Amino acid sequence: METKKYFAPSEIVDVAIGAGIKKVSTPYLKEFMLAILAGVFIGFASEGSNMAAFNLLADPGTYGLGKCLAGAIFGTGLMLVIIAGAEMFTGQTLITAAVLDKKVRLSQMLVNWGLVWIGNLVGGVFLAYMMSQSGLFNSGDNLLGAMTIKIAVGKVTLPFMSAFFLGLMCNWLVCLAVWMAFAAKDITGKILAIFFPIWLFITSGFEHSVANMYYIPAGILAKANPKWVEVALAHGVTPEKLDALNWTSFFLNNELPVTLGNAVGGGLLVAAYYWFVYKSDFGKKEELKH
């Protein structure tokens, strides 16, 4: 009989719990270094998706098509994180399953979240700086630089609750991608499990705290170039909104609500939800009935 190449839904919870135990047991320096890598990997996905779609995103008539194309590129970032090996805050929210199963302490999870979040930030800002110095933002007669600014402006001017719910829906999908990647026992299965939910999240326009560690710093750095600013102003960025793009708004207007939304989307609506269905006393009683 052929060996099953995937874990069933009820088995994925145990895989996730085991992964959570391993993550909080990793030495801090190693975890931090892997978190920097994840920030870079997701930064690569972010800049690549912008490069592919900036002309489409600049035109309201092709905006949805641009998001669809960007989504098809972006999944590469999570593939690098899962398969090559890195630690990303949004995926770390799944440690919640191990906390609920009493295999990991809440304090251990929160320390891990903080460490990985900071490492992701270092990686994302580092890649944003390299991109700002590379000359690539001159692409499309400076339109890529302009769209880099416009995308960042749009993110820091979101209302708090909009950013929160966009973050929640984002990580609901991202963590489902990770959850299904846990189910797959081979590389091909993991790639397919990751690709489609990530394509859906980017196409939908949701907010990812780690991706924004590239998108918004890249926009802030691009804002220093008058040529890119000029084209951004010609494409609907007002001077008032341009002034709103800064490091304070990056953290308070976007990262704060989006990070909170990401934590709820992954921690409660994926990890806690599935733990309750399959591992809680309720879940075990329901299983016995059948």
Side-chain angles (χ1 to χ4, degrees), residues 169-185:
M169 291 186 285
C170 162
N171 211 32
W172 199 343
L173 287 173
V174 171
C175 281
L176 284 172
V178 176
W179 201 259
M180 293 195 297
F182 283 157
K185 295 183 179 180

Side-chain angles (χ1 to χ4, degrees), residues 19 22-23 34 37-38 41-42 75-88 90-92 94 174-184 186-187 189-195 198:
K22 183 177 180 181
K23 287 176 186 295
L34 290 171
L37 276 184
F41 293 165
I42 297 302
T76 305
L78 186 58
M79 293 173 198
L80 290 170
V81 170
I82 296 291
I83 298 169
E87 298 289 348
M88 183 169 66
T90 47
Q92 306 300 95
L94 295 176
V174 171
C175 281
L176 284 172
V178 176
W179 201 259
M180 293 195 297
F182 283 157
D186 61 12
I187 297 292
K190 291 182 185 296
I191 289 172
L192 290 172
I194 290 166
F195 179 81
I198 300 303

Side-chain angles (χ1 to χ4, degrees), residues 5 48 97 101-102 106 115-116 138 150 163 207 246 263 272:
K5 295 183 179 179
D101 215 51
K102 296 181 170 57
L106 177 62
L115 182 70
V116 169
N138 295 319
K150 186 172 183 177
E207 291 287 312
N246 53 59

Side-chain angles (χ1 to χ4, degrees), residues 4 13 25 28 45 49 66 75 81-82 107 157 164 200 223 228 274:
K4 191 172 67 171
V13 187
S25 302
Y28 288 161
S49 60
V81 170
I82 296 291
S107 60
T157 55
F164 173 82
L200 178 56
K223 179 181 167 182
W228 303 333
Y274 278 123

